[in-house]
């Protein structure tokens, strides 16, 4: 007897056969997780090195929000707040000027 409704999706669905590519994908995922666990358990920097580096970076740099503010201000000054002259403001009205007769 077949299940009710659409057989490949939903609450009452048939179980698909396991194909070789399903197993290959699972093995690939398992290997990736093993590599991730290895990286987490064997970090590149020791906690002591990370603490020293963080202190040095914070002593050299100012607050991150201050740096982001400077970047946003520079971007606004170069685009929206940039000075422009009258010719630029009236350039959209030059579409009907005839240059050659």
């Amino acid at each position: 007897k077949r299940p009710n409704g659409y057989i490949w999706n939903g609450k009452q669905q048939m179980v698909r056969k396991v194909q070789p590519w399903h197993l290959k994908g699972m093995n690939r995922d398992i290997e990736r997780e093993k590599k991730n666990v290895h990286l987490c358990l064997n970090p590149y920097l020791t906690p002591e090195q990370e603490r020293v580096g963080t202190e040095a970076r914070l002593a050299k740099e100012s607050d991150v929000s201050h740096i982001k503010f400077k970047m946003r201000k520079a971007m606004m000054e170069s685009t929206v707040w940039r000075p422009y002259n009258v010719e630029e403001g009236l350039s959209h009205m030059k579409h009907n000027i005839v240059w050659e007769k």
Side-chain angles (χ1 to χ4, degrees):
K1 183 174 188 256
R2 291 173 57 115
N4 295 328
Y6 186 60
I7 62 172
W8 303 118
N9 195 1
K11 185 167 65 173
Q12 299 172 340
Q13 62 181 321
M14 292 175 63
V15 179
R16 297 174 192 248
K17 291 182 180 178
V18 177
Q19 299 291 335
W21 58 85
H22 295 137
L23 296 175
K24 287 178 187 174
M26 290 288 289
N27 288 332
R28 190 172 55 241
D29 293 343
I30 290 170
E31 289 300 318
R32 183 176 60 237
E33 289 298 323
K34 284 181 183 176
K35 289 178 183 177
N36 288 341
V37 168
H38 178 73
L39 290 174
C40 290
L41 294 177
N42 302 311
Y44 183 72
L45 295 175
T46 63
E48 178 64 25
Q49 290 172 330
E50 189 173 356
R51 184 185 61 77
V52 170
T54 302
E55 289 176 357
R57 189 180 72 243
L58 291 177
K60 185 179 75 171
E61 296 177 357
S62 59
D63 189 21
V64 174
S65 61
H66 185 66
I67 295 171
K68 288 184 179 179
F69 172 76
K70 284 184 175 179
M71 291 174 63
R72 279 196 306 269
K73 183 173 182 270
M75 194 266 301
M76 291 293 283
E77 287 176 347
S78 66
T79 58
V80 179
W81 296 339
R82 70 176 174 81
Y84 64 96
N85 51 17
V86 177
E87 287 83 12
E88 290 180 20
L90 299 176
S91 63
H92 66 281
M93 298 193 313
K94 291 184 179 179
H95 66 279
N96 60 356
I97 294 177
V98 179
W99 291 96
E100 296 179 2
K101 291 184 181 181

